[in-house]
Amino acid sequence: MPRRRAYAGSGASLISRRSFLGGVAAALGGLMLGGCGVTSLAAERLVVDFWNLFGGGDGARLDEMERAFRESRPEVRLNSTTLAWGAPYYTKLAMSAVGGRPPDVAILHQSRLAAYAPAGLLEPLDPQLLSEFDMGPDSFLPEVLEASRYEGEIYAIPLDTHPFVQYYNTDICKEAGLLGPDGELKPLEGPDAVIDALKRAKEVTGDLGLSFYPADDAGPWRLWYTLYGQLDGEAILSPDAREVTLDEEKALRAVEFMVALAQDAEVVRANIDYGGSVAQFLSGRAGFHWNGEWEVTTYLEADLPFSMLPFPNVFGENHVSQADRHTFVIPTQSSRDPRSMEAALEFISSMLKSSLIWAKGGHIPAYLPVANSDEYRELKPQSNYAGVADNVVIDPIAWFSGSGSTMEQRASAAFQSAMAGGISPRQAVVRLRTILQELVNIPKPI
């Protein structure tokens, strides 16, 4: 086993991974001998405190991956804590770092990096040290790793990409004449072709062509940002997030398509929330479902006849879809035992190596040894959209941006109003620009 350079904290000396783990194992071995040294030796056991926001199926898969680490590293105690998704999680994570008592490892959406790295809340990670723990640059797609940098430094280790995708009911689409000879969905390109397919599916179901969730805090944003990206829209904010640079005409085209789905083609209802959209597709009341890929196990467990593909190429200029990534980060601590950093990296490395388990929940693994494996390629329908991992649009870089953010919620409300017929598409775009300008004008909280 090669010697590995340990993290060098303030005044810390460098130690090898072997001496680190060997010393801890020897200390634990001493416990079995009994005697008066038990209490002091027990205090030497390394602890990794890990915070995450995963519930449901993701939480169950995370537990399985954590068990693999515990079994392989019994000399390290892993404390895993699951907190409420969204703003509660990110507020607590930021406050813990500011207060000097953060976890050793935490999950961070990549779109949230701009709110944490500039504020000094995360440790920059040495690429050489990451390589020593089998997480070097060659372990990730260049585009995926690049999005984990801030001002040239690596601050996050990507676990996955979770894109906006298209589900389709194979029985309904077959009856609608939408499947090819191979039993797969025929390519859908262009707004007319997409809406025509949704209408044909609606004729079969007698209800809806598309299951989607306009009445949601994030759904309309995911759809709009996908469409805006496909139009090759300019970044909606300047690189320093101090100026709104929205391309209003392309923004309008995206909103107009969303409104057409609900108002003109009437293939989707504007008053459906997230849970309702899942229920619609699950019950066969819609031929298509637009959502993140994370509901795949819901439909597999229900034995639903369905498959999945990348989101359709509606506008044809740039076949992208909105996405985010879960990453591992190491929050800044006022002081850190160098052995603690090594234990944290050992834990993250173990989780990446177990990420085929994670991929079963729909997420595209970021770790190339897993993503390029035969086992993942054979995982269906999850691997059908794996090719989009390096061709996605992530929320703009700003402290107020990212998954579960105020920006997503307020923008989604504007788009939902347009889809429901309350305001015109042009008014929705004006409202979007106003929202962005208001957020840009707010001083950074940290």
Side-chain angles (χ1 to χ4, degrees):
M1 183 180 297
R3 293 176 64 83
R4 290 179 170 176
R5 185 166 59 87
Y7 169 78
S10 177
S13 61
L14 299 181
I15 59 175
S16 71
R17 175 180 176 277
R18 177 176 292 175
S19 62
F20 149 66
L21 294 175
V24 175
L28 289 173
L31 290 175
M32 303 180 66
L33 299 177
C36 62
V38 171
T39 301
S40 62
L41 286 172
E44 291 296 319
R45 187 180 185 191
L46 279 172
V47 176
V48 173
D49 288 319
F50 170 51
W51 286 8
N52 69 86
L53 36 55
F54 298 125
D58 280 349
R61 281 179 284 275
L62 189 77
D63 287 344
E64 187 177 350
M65 295 159 69
E66 290 172 346
R67 282 198 298 274
F69 173 74
R70 289 187 176 103
E71 291 171 2
S72 65
R73 294 290 182 265
E75 66 276 13
V76 179
R77 186 171 81 241
L78 172 64
N79 294 332
S80 181
T81 302
T82 301
L83 301 171
W85 194 93
Y89 175 83
Y90 283 113
T91 299
K92 187 164 186 177
L93 180 60
M95 295 307 295
S96 72
V98 170
R101 297 180 62 85
D104 300 296
V105 181
I107 289 292
L108 189 86
H109 282 92
Q110 199 168 63
S111 61
R112 290 272 187 162
L113 191 62
Y116 286 77
L121 302 181
L122 305 177
E123 292 277 4
L125 302 172
D126 179 357
Q128 181 179 340
L129 185 57
L130 292 178
S131 294
E132 292 170 359
F133 283 87
D134 305 322
M135 299 183 293
D138 58 347
S139 297
F140 307 95
L141 290 170
E143 296 84 354
V144 174
L145 187 62
E146 185 60 31
S148 292
R149 295 179 185 271
Y150 176 74
E151 293 187 345
E153 297 265 25
I154 298 174
Y155 282 90
I157 302 171
L159 170 63
D160 64 38
T161 301
H162 44 280
F164 199 59
V165 299
Q166 176 166 265
Y167 302 74
Y168 63 97
N169 184 303
T170 51
D171 287 352
I172 293 172
C173 288
K174 181 178 181 180
E175 188 174 344
L178 296 171
L179 302 186
D182 57 358
E184 299 293 332
L185 186 70
K186 296 176 184 177
L188 301 179
E189 293 197 5
D192 292 340
V194 172
I195 288 179
D196 177 67
L198 299 178
K199 285 181 175 179
R200 290 166 68 178
K202 180 179 177 178
E203 291 175 0
V204 174
T205 67
D207 194 354
L208 294 172
L210 172 65
S211 166
F212 179 57
Y213 42 107
D216 180 80
D217 282 347
W221 168 264
R222 290 172 181 150
L223 177 54
W224 177 83
Y225 204 48
T226 294
L227 297 170
Y228 185 75
Q230 290 191 358
L231 286 164
D232 260 347
E234 298 293 327
I236 66 174
L237 298 174
S238 60
D240 60 5
R242 294 181 179 178
E243 181 183 354
V244 178
T245 56
L246 178 72
D247 185 325
E248 294 191 18
E249 291 309 307
K250 290 182 178 179
L252 178 62
R253 285 184 63 190
V255 178
E256 286 174 339
F257 179 78
M258 294 168 67
V259 170
L261 295 174
Q263 298 295 318
D264 301 333
E266 297 182 335
V267 293
V268 68
R269 295 193 185 99
N271 63 345
I272 302 300
D273 62 11
Y274 186 92
S277 74
V278 172
Q280 286 174 333
F281 190 65
L282 197 58
S283 62
R285 288 155 49 208
F288 293 86
H289 181 49
W290 291 350
N291 199 351
E293 31 62 38
W294 47 78
E295 291 293 349
V296 60
T297 51
T298 301
Y299 305 134
L300 286 172
E301 290 172 358
D303 201 25
L304 187 72
F306 81 101
S307 190
M308 300 167 70
L309 287 171
F311 189 84
N313 192 6
V314 176
F315 289 117
E317 296 182 30
N318 187 8
H319 192 187
V320 299
S321 60
Q322 189 270 352
D324 207 337
R325 297 186 178 99
H326 296 119
T327 70
F328 293 101
V329 294
I330 297 181
T332 301
Q333 294 184 1
S334 54
S335 62
R336 186 187 300 275
D337 184 332
R339 300 178 307 159
S340 173
M341 174 62 88
E342 288 220 354
L345 294 176
E346 194 77 47
F347 166 66
I348 296 170
S349 180
S350 172
M351 297 296 276
L352 294 181
K353 292 171 182 176
S354 298
S355 58
L356 181 65
I357 298 169
W358 192 245
K360 293 177 181 178
H363 307 313
I364 303 171
Y367 193 55
L368 289 181
V370 173
N372 293 336
S373 68
D374 291 339
E375 291 84 356
Y376 177 63
R377 291 191 187 97
E378 293 166 3
L379 192 62
K380 298 293 182 180
Q382 293 92 327
S383 64
N384 289 356
Y385 48 86
V388 308
D390 59 350
N391 193 31
V392 297
V393 284
I394 306 289
D395 285 8
I397 304 300
W399 69 264
F400 51 77
S401 176
S403 291
S405 65
T406 298
M407 183 196 70
E408 284 194 354
Q409 293 167 6
R410 293 184 63 187
S412 286
F415 301 143
Q416 196 277 335
S417 293
M419 292 184 74
I423 59 176
S424 70
R426 176 70 70 180
Q427 288 172 320
V429 173
V430 171
R431 188 172 295 183
L432 173 62
R433 172 172 278 280
T434 299
I435 290 166
L436 294 174
Q437 190 62 57
E438 289 174 351
L439 293 170
V440 164
N441 291 343
I442 299 173
K444 290 184 180 180
I446 300 176

